[in-house]
Amino acid sequence: MINRPRRLRLNKKIRSLVRETSLHPQDLIYPMFVTEGRGVKQEIAAMPGQYRWSVDMLPAAIREVEEAGVEHIMLFGIPAPEDHDECGSAAWASDGIVQRAIAEIKSHSDIFITTDVCLCEYTSHGHCGQLDADGYVNNDKTLELLAKTALSHVEAGADMVAPSDMMDGRVAAIRARLDEAGHVNTPIMSYAVKYASNFYGPFREAANSAPQHGDRKSYQMDYHNGREAELEAALDVAEGADIIMVKPALPYLDVVARLRPQIKQPMAAYCVSGEYAMLQLAVSQGLVQPDIIYESHIAIKRAGADIILTYFAKELAWTLRAAQQQEVKQ
């Protein structure tokens, strides 16, 4: 035989030499939940190992992230129940939960902060925008609220904003508002391809963001569709998105791979709460080896993602650093 692919699998050194895909701590964004109160470090039942943090507890939590080698976080705010209203006005309040969290973190760390821009955690009805009398989420009225929210995050010190609402035109609305206020260099990472997925269940418990009636299928994407992802991504690029995200990640690797040749901007994929919970449960029950976590994230990179948002970020970063140190010793 002339061709023997196994020649390049013979040992660890030759395998690492020809390896096509790599993962680094700098590729990872760690999502974090911030809530009201003091001294709060509350484990999320549906997401073992993940917590709701009060603002005063964030500096210590951020130190753990940085010690692992992760340089990026994504903040999700959980306001007090009394701060919910029909339009989600606490989302853009200067003293809102996310705004205070950003200020607290920035006073102790230079970690890169991206904020989730949406209204579902702040509205009394749990939907991602302003409702009409018939319960329909009014797309165009919501754009102004999202733009106000994004600007308030940037003014508080956020390094990047990430709209997740799936309203048509929201990237353009946010870009215009930021530019008008002089924040022309603040990037937007758009949840451009966000499916109406069953994998979000644990997150909705974590953020207390489940809709009070109906569902989000009239604005999040139908998971039967693939070509539609090309349209959504192209529209957001045209509106000024700097990074395009696909969410969820593992069940939609075909979508990531489909978009990769078309999108010149960096691409992110979000390994969401349901993916995290399933992998954690399988590992904890001894059904699979812990290395499945690393393998799964390599699959996301191999499909074409440059950036991965994942609740495994700290764990992966420690794993990667340990592997690197072992290689140096050898």
Side-chain angles (χ1 to χ4, degrees), residues 132-316:
D132 288 337
D134 60 1
Y136 178 75
V137 177
N138 188 303
N139 190 96
D140 295 5
K141 289 181 180 179
T142 299
L143 298 182
E144 170 65 16
L145 309 184
L146 295 168
K148 288 167 63 176
T149 300
L151 179 59
S152 74
H153 289 179
V154 175
E155 289 180 336
D159 299 292
M160 181 162 66
V161 292
S164 63
D165 54 284
M166 288 301 287
M167 297 297 113
D168 295 334
R170 89 272 207 209
V171 172
I174 291 171
R175 184 74 273 157
R177 178 59 67 89
L178 293 180
D179 289 358
E180 289 168 4
H183 301 291
V184 297
N185 290 322
T186 300
I188 298 173
M189 177 169 64
S190 173
Y191 290 67
V193 181
K194 180 179 179 180
Y195 284 90
S197 173
N198 293 295
F199 284 87
Y200 302 149
F203 176 92
R204 291 175 180 174
E205 175 189 320
N208 191 27
S209 64
Q212 299 301 305
H213 60 81
D215 53 43
R216 296 179 177 139
K217 293 180 179 179
S218 70
Y219 43 103
Q220 294 179 0
M221 289 175 57
D222 184 344
Y223 57 70
H224 298 84
N225 296 348
R227 292 192 305 271
E228 186 181 15
E230 301 175 31
L231 172 63
E232 287 283 5
L235 287 170
D236 283 10
V237 168
E239 291 177 18
D242 300 284
I243 301 172
I244 295 297
M245 187 199 301
V246 175
K247 181 183 179 185
L250 291 171
Y252 297 87
L253 294 183
D254 63 311
V255 176
V256 176
R258 182 175 194 151
L259 291 176
R260 180 69 282 175
Q262 302 177 30
I263 303 299
K264 306 309 176 188
Q265 283 76 4
M267 284 184 58
Y270 195 149
C271 185
V272 301
S273 60
E275 299 169 73
Y276 171 84
M278 289 193 302
L279 288 170
Q280 279 284 67
L281 179 61
V283 171
S284 70
Q285 295 297 310
L287 301 175
V288 294
Q289 293 298 312
D291 195 50
I292 195 173
I293 295 168
Y294 173 71
E295 179 185 351
S296 297
H297 288 72
I298 285 293
I300 299 170
K301 286 294 295 289
R302 192 177 62 243
D306 304 293
I307 301 160
I308 304 176
L309 294 92
T310 176
Y311 301 98
F312 289 113
K314 290 191 294 183
E315 180 177 342
L316 284 167

Side-chain angles (χ1 to χ4, degrees), residues 76-99:
F76 294 90
I78 308 171
E82 61 269 21
D83 290 334
H84 291 75
D85 60 27
E86 285 294 307
C87 63
S89 61
W92 61 84
S94 60
D95 61 348
I97 184 69
V98 167
Q99 290 81 354

Side-chain angles (χ1 to χ4, degrees), residues 32 53 55-67 108:
M32 299 183 71
W53 304 90
V55 171
D56 62 302
M57 297 288 282
L58 283 173
I62 294 298
R63 279 197 297 274
E64 291 182 7
V65 177
E66 292 177 311
E67 287 168 1
H108 293 85

